[in-house]
Amino acid sequence: MRLRALLNTDALGLRLLGGEDKLDRTVRGVMTTDLKDPSRYLSGGELVLTGLAWRHDGSDAEPFVRVLAGADVAALAVGEAELGDVPDDLLEACARYRLPLFAVHESVAFATITEHVVRQVSGERAGDLAAVVDRHRRMMTSGPAGGGPDVVLDLLGSDLDLRAWVLSPTGRPIAGPVPGPGSDVCAALAAEQLAAARTGRRGPYRTTVGADTYSLFPVHGSGGRPGGGARDVRETVLSDWVLAVEADAGDWPAERLDLLQGVTQLIAVERDRRDAARTVRRRLAQEVLELVQTGAAPAEIAARLRVAAPVLLPGLGAAPLWQVVVARVEWDGAAGEDIAGGPVAQSLLEEILVDPRSAGPEPSDRIAVAHSDDEAIALVPLPAVAGEPDATEPGILADALLEAVRGPLSAGLDDDGRLTLGVSAAVHSAEGLRGALEEARHARRVAAARPGRVCAAGHHELASHVLLLPFVPDDVRRAFTARLLDPLRDYDRRHRAELIPTLEAFLECDGSWTRCAARLHLHVNTLRYRVGRIEQLTGRDLSRLEDKLDFFLALRMS
């Protein structure tokens, strides 16, 4: 279809602001974005829709439009709902790069334009599949009549004889025909998608698992930072879904590839809608977390838990037990320091805590995850077993938590990322949440001291040290800490070298030189000198797990 046809469709609420001589351009797709640089998601010919959340000041317009023009998009359409009139700097940039510019009336939703464009493009290129897009409105509905992504996937099967599944980043089936690929196959497909995304390749990605060939189409959510979008693929790679099609897309004509790209856009809208539905659960978790961390009275925390329980476990008669899970995603190198780890860990933890044997989005409705700084914190209810009021379903076990997702996540983390998790014991009341949070954080630090890209530790593994520290005899405690810390304290008193604070920061940063140096506002070489001095004075090696743990315990007991 052509831009002129869109402009002449009154229901779309488009008003031409520039580029009248370009209205015969062909529109091959549509994309909604608020990223500063959406180039990796563009293939050319798209109508780009934006709400301008990426724009902070007048200097942002030119680089954004330059990216769109370089990707050969058909036109840019700007929503007027947030800012009203389109800024002059954007008008000037579009004129400079000869990019047609439209304003979208505030009464028209981007989903309406997306639906119209995909319907028209699909109808022109695959008329027998027009029903896929005609059913878009049904897919978008949230009531029992809405079929979600399954509606589109069913029609792909019936009209094009294509078997396809939507998979989470860990390989868990979100939608698709049953029976689908086995769990091992799904995990392998997710790993291939994550590995390909980390290399910067543009989808679809083709891969062979066993005797079957699959084509993988990334399903990107809006993601990114508020107002700025994702500046690094690592900010979204661990949360993107993937459309896995049991076919070799290498032999497909451009028309069919375009159609599948349109299907991923529809699924992305649904995914964003479901992410938005998590807002209530996230807010509840955030409120409880803030109360726990600020030392609120147990009665106040209990009141918030009573609000959370019916939301997370509808129909539950009695208050459940609760577990706390803490996760941290970290990246090596200077660029990794700029990535906000909390939101990445939050979306990933929401997926990891779902039983890998379950399908569909509903199991995640019982998980509330907040994030604070660079860590994510999950509040997980444990419902009572039916018929046994005093018993509960088995809690989360750290050993088994990552077993099914280790492969895909390792591929997404590549050689510069790391995921560590800690799991608390179950607690019965608000009074126990503070201890559960600290227990989960201690367990995560234990996991961080282990080798590997994906590590977890549970409360059972703390029994030999953290939980028993109060019971260590005073004379043993003094002897242990004196042997390790007294040489450092003496040196600090004589030279004001701050070796003890350096040691504490180094362990809290899990041995990361760059993060520790940034925290202490030191050059990395200065940090290396201090750590070398610590090792020289104590005869220990901070690259060894055993010595790290000894220092950790000595600091806790001092």
Side-chain angles (χ1 to χ4, degrees):
M1 67 179 302
R2 299 186 185 277
L3 289 174
R4 191 180 306 278
L6 288 176
L7 184 61
N8 293 333
T9 304
D10 294 338
L12 300 184
L14 295 176
R15 178 165 52 89
L16 183 65
L17 300 179
E20 186 174 3
D21 58 331
K22 302 292 183 182
L23 290 180
D24 287 329
R25 283 187 176 182
T26 300
V27 179
R28 300 173 60 240
V30 62
M31 177 191 179
T32 299
T33 186
D34 277 316
L35 303 182
K36 284 185 175 180
D37 180 3
S39 57
R40 65 179 180 269
Y41 305 134
L42 298 170
S43 57
E46 293 94 347
L47 171 66
V48 175
L49 307 173
T50 182
L52 296 181
W54 48 266
R55 182 183 179 276
H56 291 160
D57 54 49
S59 66
D60 292 334
E62 194 276 339
F64 179 76
V65 174
R66 184 175 68 245
V67 165
L68 300 188
D72 198 26
V73 304
L76 174 65
V78 178
E80 296 180 316
E82 293 294 330
L83 299 181
D85 293 339
V86 176
D88 291 340
D89 51 88
L90 187 58
L91 290 167
E92 294 169 1
C94 288
R96 185 179 310 123
Y97 287 93
R98 301 179 63 81
L99 181 67
L101 177 63
F102 297 94
V104 182
H105 193 271
E106 63 180 6
S107 64
V108 179
F110 282 174
T112 300
I113 300 175
T114 299
E115 179 182 352
H116 179 84
V117 172
V118 176
R119 182 191 298 118
Q120 295 300 318
V121 171
S122 302
E124 292 173 4
R125 296 174 176 169
D128 61 336
L129 241 187
V132 172
V133 186
D134 288 338
R135 301 278 290 278
H136 176 216
R137 191 174 303 280
R138 178 184 171 193
M139 188 191 86
M140 294 288 292
T141 59
S142 59
D150 283 305
V151 172
V152 176
L153 300 187
D154 287 347
L155 288 169
L156 282 177
S158 62
D159 291 5
L160 282 186
D161 196 26
L162 289 177
R163 283 166 50 84
W165 296 266
V166 178
L167 306 178
S168 78
T170 64
R172 187 176 62 87
I174 301 294
V178 177
S183 58
D184 291 344
V185 174
C186 290
L189 294 176
E192 176 65 23
Q193 142 73 13
L194 291 171
R198 286 303 310 275
T199 64
R201 288 162 50 195
R202 179 172 289 177
Y205 318 119
R206 289 179 291 157
T207 186
T208 299
V209 180
D212 299 317
T213 298
Y214 294 86
S215 297
L216 308 177
F217 294 79
V219 178
H220 304 291
S222 57
R225 305 177 179 191
R231 297 186 299 183
D232 191 303
V233 67
R234 291 174 292 184
E235 291 192 52
T236 58
V237 67
L238 295 177
S239 59
D240 284 345
W241 287 358
V242 60
L243 175 65
V245 183
E246 193 177 27
D248 187 348
D251 300 328
W252 287 2
E255 290 78 10
R256 180 168 288 196
L257 286 172
D258 287 344
L259 177 64
L260 266 293
Q261 293 290 359
V263 169
T264 65
Q265 291 171 4
L266 297 182
I267 294 172
V269 173
E270 170 68 4
R271 179 209 150 157
D272 286 344
R273 186 184 68 80
R274 289 176 174 172
D275 282 348
R278 293 177 173 176
T279 302
V280 172
R281 296 189 301 279
R282 287 176 170 178
R283 186 171 64 248
L284 286 171
Q286 197 74 42
E287 290 175 354
V288 173
L289 173 63
E290 290 174 359
L291 290 173
V292 170
Q293 294 192 129
T294 56
E300 187 177 359
I301 299 174
R304 299 309 301 159
L305 288 178
R306 284 194 294 272
V307 172
V311 174
L312 299 178
L313 291 173
L316 186 66
L321 278 71
W322 302 90
Q323 275 186 289
V324 176
V325 181
V326 172
R328 188 185 287 262
V329 175
E330 297 164 312
W331 306 96
D332 297 335
E337 299 291 339
D338 294 332
I339 299 174
V344 177
Q346 181 182 47
S347 61
L348 187 57
L349 191 53
E350 286 172 334
E351 172 59 32
I352 290 174
L353 289 173
V354 178
D355 187 338
R357 297 167 297 180
S358 64
E362 290 75 16
S364 64
D365 290 346
R366 292 188 174 186
I367 298 165
V369 184
H371 70 82
S372 174
D373 297 326
D374 287 333
E375 69 179 6
I377 302 167
L379 190 64
V380 183
L382 301 179
V385 175
E388 301 180 37
D390 295 330
T392 62
E393 294 179 357
I396 298 169
L397 300 177
D399 292 339
L401 188 60
L402 299 178
E403 182 177 349
V405 301
R406 192 179 303 276
L409 294 184
S410 296
L413 293 164
D414 199 14
D415 60 355
D416 63 344
R418 195 145 194 262
L419 167 68
T420 52
L421 294 97
V423 182
S424 78
V427 295
H428 293 77
S429 63
E431 288 86 347
L433 276 182
R434 188 188 307 279
L437 176 58
E438 288 305 313
E439 192 173 60
R441 282 175 168 160
H442 283 314
R444 194 207 62 78
R445 293 190 186 101
V446 171
R450 295 171 174 165
R453 290 290 170 189
V454 181
C455 298
H459 60 95
H460 298 295
E461 300 173 69
L462 303 180
S464 62
H465 39 83
V466 175
L467 296 185
L468 294 182
L469 291 183
F471 303 99
V472 176
D474 289 343
D475 56 339
V476 175
R477 183 193 300 264
R478 285 192 294 269
F480 182 79
T481 58
R483 186 168 60 250
L484 282 175
L485 301 183
D486 279 359
L488 306 182
R489 290 171 177 148
D490 291 340
Y491 191 89
D492 280 348
R493 278 195 296 269
R494 294 196 307 270
H495 302 281
R496 297 182 180 179
E498 298 186 336
L499 295 185
I500 291 290
T502 299
L503 175 61
E504 291 175 332
F506 187 75
L507 294 177
E508 288 174 359
C509 292
D510 303 328
S512 169
W513 297 99
T514 54
R515 287 193 296 107
C516 184
R519 174 178 293 189
L520 295 174
H521 305 291
L522 298 174
H523 191 279
V524 172
N525 289 341
T526 303
L527 175 62
R528 291 185 185 277
Y529 172 82
R530 288 189 183 180
V531 171
R533 179 65 65 184
I534 291 170
E535 293 174 334
Q536 181 183 32
L537 291 170
T538 60
R540 299 300 186 104
D541 182 356
L542 276 167
S543 67
R544 297 179 68 247
L545 171 61
E546 293 84 352
D547 289 343
K548 284 181 181 177
L549 287 177
D550 281 349
F551 277 122
F552 171 80
L553 293 173
L555 290 168
R556 287 294 180 273
M557 289 191 293
S558 64

